[in-house]
């Protein structure tokens, strides 16, 4: 009886060891879920941009910078991060600025706070473009507590290597 139990323990250890080897040799990519070998995944691993360490070029005076939305991805083997931020005021929410960060590079402004938008969505698409949705104002006469525009924003890589923005505006309130 003792000999049979030790035989079962031996087989259990062998099975566990085999599973560990097979499990270590296989991995799943985060973007597709496809199984790749460890050798392939080691070559393909590119760390995403750590947006918590990015120093934004914003002037907020005595107020801290508040990041409202962020996204990061690896596109075509390159790390890409995007974030929307504003100065944290005592009252109200100032408009957002949007920045893109590539790899370990410096943030590049995609949208200024002068545009007056508050971002509600921000994402990186698989083709490397950046999509955002925002609320805004059609004129300075619109009360700041009642945005009257919905804005869809898309940034794509331009031929010169910069970012080209397109935006579509529509009324936020329909009767």
């Amino acid at each position: 009886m003792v000999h049979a139990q030790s035989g079962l323990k031996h087989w259990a250890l062998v099975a566990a060891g085999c599973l560990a080897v097979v499990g270590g040799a296989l991995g799943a990519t985060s973007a597709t879920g496809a199984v790749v070998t460890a050798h392939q995944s080691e070559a393909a691993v590119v760390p995403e941009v750590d947006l918590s360490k990015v120093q934004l070029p914003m002037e907020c005076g005595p107020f801290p910078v508040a990041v409202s939305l962020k996204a990061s991805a690896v596109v075509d083997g390159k790390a890409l991060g995007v974030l929307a931020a504003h100065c944290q005021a005592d009252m109200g929410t100032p408009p957002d600025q949007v920045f893109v960060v590539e790899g370990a590079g410096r943030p590049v402004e995609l949208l200024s706070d002068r545009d007056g938008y508050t971002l509600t969505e921000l994402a990186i698409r698989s083709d490397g473009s950046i999509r955002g949705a925002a609320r805004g104002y059609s004129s300075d006469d619109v009360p700041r507590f009642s945005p009257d525009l919905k804005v869809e924003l898309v940034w794509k890589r331009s031929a010169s290597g910069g970012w080209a923005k397109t935006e579509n505006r529509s009324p936020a309130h329909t009767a």
Side-chain angles (χ1 to χ4, degrees), residues 25 28 45 52 66 74 86 105-106 122-123 129 139 174:
V45 171
S52 66
V74 175
H86 57 267
R106 294 182 181 269
L122 193 59
S129 63
S139 74
T174 56

Side-chain angles (χ1 to χ4, degrees), residues 4 19 24 53 60 83 98 121 135 139-140 167 174:
L19 286 173
K53 295 182 179 178
C60 292
L83 51 84
V98 176
E121 297 177 33
R135 293 184 313 257
S139 74
D140 288 338
E167 64 180 70
T174 56

